[in-house]
Amino acid sequence: MFEGHDPYLVALSVVIAILGGYTGFGLAARIRGTPDASHRLLLAGAAFFLAIGIWTMHFVGMLAAPLPTGAVYLVLPTIVSFLICALVVGISLFFVSVGEPSMLRVASSAVLLGVGIASMHYVGMHGLSGNFAMTHDAAMVVLSVLIAIATAYGGLRAFLARQGGVQLALSAVAYGFAVSGMHYTAMAGMHLVPASQGSRHHVEGLAASSQMLSLVVALLCFVIAAGFLLSLVPDPRRAAAMTDAAAAIPGAVAAEAAVLVATIPPTDSTAATTSPRLRPTPLGGIGQPPRVAPAPRLPVEGADGTHFIDTADVRSVRADAHYTKVHDGTRERMCPWSISEAEAQLDPGLFVRVHRSHIVAMAHVTFVRKEGDGAIIELDGPSPHRVPVSRAKIAEVKARLGLARRHA
């Protein structure tokens, strides 16, 4: 498969696919956590970087291949190959970002995206012109298309899952190797036959040399690298949210102390003059006023408007800047409430704030494990996910799970 290829350019093509996947998935993962006005911009950016990564990886791989002397690239098929790639990536991301990501929806999007990636490859190969004819092994063509579809499915699953840090990096590495594997599998099934030994359909049109293509590819590599570096810059909203949370800790401690004082039963000498004992704040929270009836549903934002989901379907709530993300066991959705508002609205008999940034439904906990100074719990659903538990909340979580007795 790699006989005669330049190993350095092969390695570069894989790195480009990884960087493009990391940048694209990073943008795509933010779509569900932003207001509707930003969805289109993030969707376009994710599709652009994923398409640029796939297309650039393809042509770096072509530059690494031992092509006949005098081979040129026809401009029109080369441009069309990129447009195909950008179009199918954008449509697939949009299709899974609207409505519920059912298995049928994700599988259909993966087939569309995989066939589009394979089409981009073979249209780009059609743009290669010279004194030769090109043939392809049918078995390798089918195998390359299957690899492209599998790559697309994994990429869309990475888009739907909550990605960040190590998870996002691993997804991007797997995606980069898979896209590169599709390309080099297809190249292994390609054969160039001298024009004298086979018929060759000559396509007239504007052509570019390998040197010109190298300049274009180098520019796009710079764009991908710049996007990758920008994606590593911390989100100022998240930094501000972390600062606000840290600043709120002393106030939270004071509020909880006030609640404890207020809940002490009056003594005999003061029973006639003191008011009835006050009820604790919801979830032992940050001074929010108690609610007589907890909210039965939570609002979540979708591409077509605001939806509502029953609290019985909620697995966890995670702080995200001034908003939150609600996990329903399948995926996360953006909720316009802050973490403090969600804490005040939810039933304290069913939900526990296990971390300053996380609230969980205890009935859905299926796994708990000590980790460092804190712990990790896993919540059930079609897509199980894990949530950290702070050290201060371990005792309460264990008591709620029946692993330890509550202290009076």
Side-chain angles (χ1 to χ4, degrees):
M1 183 183 298
F2 297 101
E3 183 179 358
H5 281 68
D6 186 325
Y8 297 104
L9 289 179
V10 171
L12 178 61
S13 68
V14 177
V15 170
I16 289 172
I18 293 173
L19 296 184
Y22 185 95
T23 307
F25 288 153
L27 290 174
R30 298 182 185 181
I31 291 177
R32 297 184 183 276
T34 57
D36 290 342
S38 302
H39 283 186
R40 294 180 181 177
L41 183 60
L42 287 175
L43 181 63
F48 173 78
F49 277 104
L50 286 172
I52 285 289
I54 296 170
W55 190 85
T56 306
M57 176 271 138
H58 167 78
F59 281 100
V60 170
M62 292 301 299
L63 292 175
L67 299 178
T69 303
V72 294
Y73 297 88
L74 299 178
V75 174
L76 181 59
T78 300
I79 294 177
V80 170
S81 68
F82 172 74
L83 294 179
I84 291 174
C85 188
L87 182 64
V88 295
V89 170
I91 292 175
S92 298
L93 289 181
F94 175 78
F95 191 49
V96 296
S97 66
V98 177
E100 292 294 331
S102 63
M103 178 63 69
L104 178 61
R105 182 186 291 266
V106 176
S108 301
S109 299
V111 171
L112 172 64
L113 182 54
V115 172
I117 293 173
S119 299
M120 179 279 302
H121 173 88
Y122 287 106
V123 170
M125 295 301 297
H126 177 72
L128 188 63
S129 181
N131 190 26
F132 51 81
M134 186 182 301
T135 61
H136 301 278
D137 292 340
M140 300 301 284
V141 171
V142 173
L143 179 59
S144 66
V145 172
L146 293 177
I147 292 176
I149 293 175
T151 299
Y153 183 81
L156 293 177
R157 278 300 176 191
F159 159 67
L160 293 172
R162 187 184 73 187
Q163 296 294 316
V166 177
Q167 288 178 313
L168 178 58
L170 293 177
S171 297
V173 170
Y175 171 83
F177 277 100
V179 171
S180 304
M182 176 270 154
H183 170 84
Y184 291 109
T185 299
M187 290 294 290
M190 182 195 75
H191 304 284
L192 299 180
V193 182
S196 58
Q197 298 181 15
S199 60
R200 170 177 173 270
H201 178 65
H202 181 72
V203 181
E204 298 290 344
L206 184 63
S209 64
S210 297
Q211 291 76 13
M212 180 62 67
L213 182 65
S214 299
L215 293 177
V216 175
V217 168
L219 176 62
L220 294 179
C221 288
F222 175 79
V223 172
I224 293 175
F228 171 72
L229 293 176
L230 287 176
S231 69
L232 298 180
V233 177
D235 188 346
R237 295 183 307 167
R238 293 180 181 272
M242 295 296 292
T243 302
D244 294 343
I249 292 177
V253 174
E256 290 184 2
V259 170
L260 291 175
V261 172
T263 57
I264 297 175
T267 61
D268 293 339
S269 60
T270 60
T273 58
T274 54
S275 59
R277 187 170 62 178
L278 297 178
R279 191 159 67 94
T281 58
L283 305 189
I286 312 181
Q288 294 291 333
R291 294 183 59 89
V292 176
R297 300 186 301 171
L298 274 71
V300 291
E301 301 296 337
D304 55 346
T306 302
H307 301 263
F308 294 89
I309 59 175
D310 293 336
T311 55
D313 297 327
V314 175
R315 267 61 173 180
S316 66
V317 180
R318 176 172 66 91
D320 185 29
H322 301 294
Y323 306 98
T324 50
K325 289 186 176 180
V326 177
H327 204 299
D328 61 2
T330 301
R331 61 189 175 97
E332 282 189 322
R333 302 183 185 182
M334 177 200 168
C335 176
W337 292 349
S338 68
I339 190 69
S340 297
E341 290 173 319
E343 182 181 17
Q345 297 278 4
L346 294 171
D347 186 350
L350 302 176
F351 293 86
V352 174
R353 187 165 181 176
V354 298
H355 188 277
R356 68 182 181 184
S357 300
H358 296 274
I359 299 172
V360 301
M362 299 304 298
H364 293 286
V365 175
T366 60
F367 171 84
V368 61
R369 181 185 70 200
K370 188 80 166 60
E371 186 167 292
D373 292 336
I376 293 292
I377 58 178
E378 183 172 279
L379 302 163
D380 63 10
S383 299
H385 66 289
R386 295 186 177 185
V387 173
V389 180
S390 66
R391 180 175 58 181
K393 289 291 185 177
I394 291 179
E396 180 178 359
V397 169
K398 293 176 72 174
R400 293 289 290 265
L401 294 175
L403 299 177
R405 292 189 177 184
R406 297 177 182 271
H407 295 287

